[in-house]
Amino acid sequence: MASSRQAAMGFIFITLLIDITGLGLIIPVFPKLIEQLIHGNLSQASKWGGWLTFAYALMQFLFAPVLGNLSDQFGRRPVLLFSLLGFGIDYLFLAFAPTIGWLFVGRIIAGITGASITTATAYIADISNDENRAKNFGMIGAAFGLGFIIGPVMGGVLGEYGARIPFLVAAGLAFLNALYGFIILPESLDKAHRRPFNIKRANPLGSLMQLKKYPSLGGLIGSMILVYIAANAVQSTWTFINIEKFHWSESMIGYSLGMVGLLVVIVQGGLIRYINPAIGNERSVYIGLGLYAIGLLLFAFASQTWMMFVFLVPYCMGGIAGPALQSIISGKVPSNEQGELQGALTSLMSATSIIGPLIMTNLFAYFTKANAPVHFAGAPFLLGSLLMLGSAVIAYFTLKSRKAG
């Protein structure tokens, strides 16, 4: 049993790695593609980038709980394969888009079908126990890290030859991943632990309402909401800010994200195995969130390229918080509801991603436009730091009160 679970972790890790590599491929060239399609400048492109993320997140918010519940009834494998095919179709739309409208079509398709991370998280929960749950969830971060070493560096290099080439490569990887999963990936949820599809639980609000069954999770959910919004400071504006401040090329953007990936692998694929058992899940959460806040604050006021690379260290060390927080939350939910839980958490992330990118990209656009009262491209990082600090405070008091109770 232990060896089969270990093999299953290997399968899901490779699936996630290929998936994240495809996502990483397109990041360095996305600003240039938007600029070309709107015939505008970087500040204007950032607003469109925010709206594209909004479209994707809105569809994720509406459909993630549906796919999460479907995976509880039919198993993780078919839902994961469906999601990977959707990403492949999305990348093709992005690669051949003649106008900005076609980018929205692709992002909407990806949002509807994009449950690969959600389903993979439920998959990991299926094959984990209390002792290895945090470590296994850390493998998600490790897959993200390796994917963001390979993907953005490849995307940056390929982007030098054309803004659309990385999208074609990403499409190929997504379809290859679906084929890999079809041939190799085993099912993780046996029929004894499946449950019928419930439409009330499969709508976004219904999915979120199910979290009321676990009132002790309320504070931690609130903490996660702030983390998700704050994370958009990096996810939505990293490329725009560094192009504006330091005139980075696509390849430099790729190298910076490759460094992020390397640090994430070190932290979540290695250090977390020692840090988490040594200090426990609770301390890992609020210490990690504190490090996130410090890293973002340093990003906001960095004045040279090398500083962005150095300041990635405390920021990425903050990654010890995520798996620990997820371990605490998932440990309070029955095994046959893990798909629903992960779908609800993805809906939460998508709900914050509906507003987060718009806040961060418009903040960047406001402080970088020609008539800005103060030119401050790092404004989104500063806001993100304050939100992470708020999240750390909430998590600290929530975990302390839970321990006292």
Side-chain angles (χ1 to χ4, degrees), residues 226-244:
L226 293 183
V227 170
Y228 288 151
I229 295 175
N232 278 287
V234 173
Q235 295 169 4
S236 300
T237 61
W238 177 265
T239 53
F240 294 104
I241 290 174
N242 286 305
I243 291 173
E244 174 69 19

Side-chain angles (χ1 to χ4, degrees), residues 6 27 52 85 106 111 162 222 234 263 283 287 299 333 352 380-382:
Q6 186 176 2
I27 294 175
L52 284 164
L85 288 174
V234 173
L263 290 172
R283 288 183 178 178
I287 291 175
F299 288 155
V333 175
T352 58
F381 290 148
L382 179 58

Side-chain angles (χ1 to χ4, degrees), residues 143-221:
F144 265 89
L146 281 174
F148 270 94
I149 292 173
I150 302 168
V153 173
M154 285 179 59
V157 172
L158 292 172
E160 299 287 346
Y161 299 95
R164 297 175 186 266
I165 292 177
F167 295 96
L168 292 172
V169 177
L173 283 176
F175 291 130
L176 178 65
N177 203 4
L179 179 62
Y180 167 82
F182 179 77
I183 296 173
I184 295 179
L185 191 68
E187 179 55 64
S188 65
L189 186 66
D190 59 72
K191 293 184 179 180
H193 289 94
R194 298 183 188 183
R195 62 187 177 91
F197 182 84
N198 188 323
I199 190 63
K200 291 183 179 179
R201 293 175 172 175
N203 69 78
L205 297 179
S207 177
L208 294 177
M209 294 300 285
Q210 293 299 312
L211 293 175
K212 284 188 173 182
K213 295 187 297 184
Y214 314 102
S216 62
L217 301 180
L220 297 179
I221 296 299

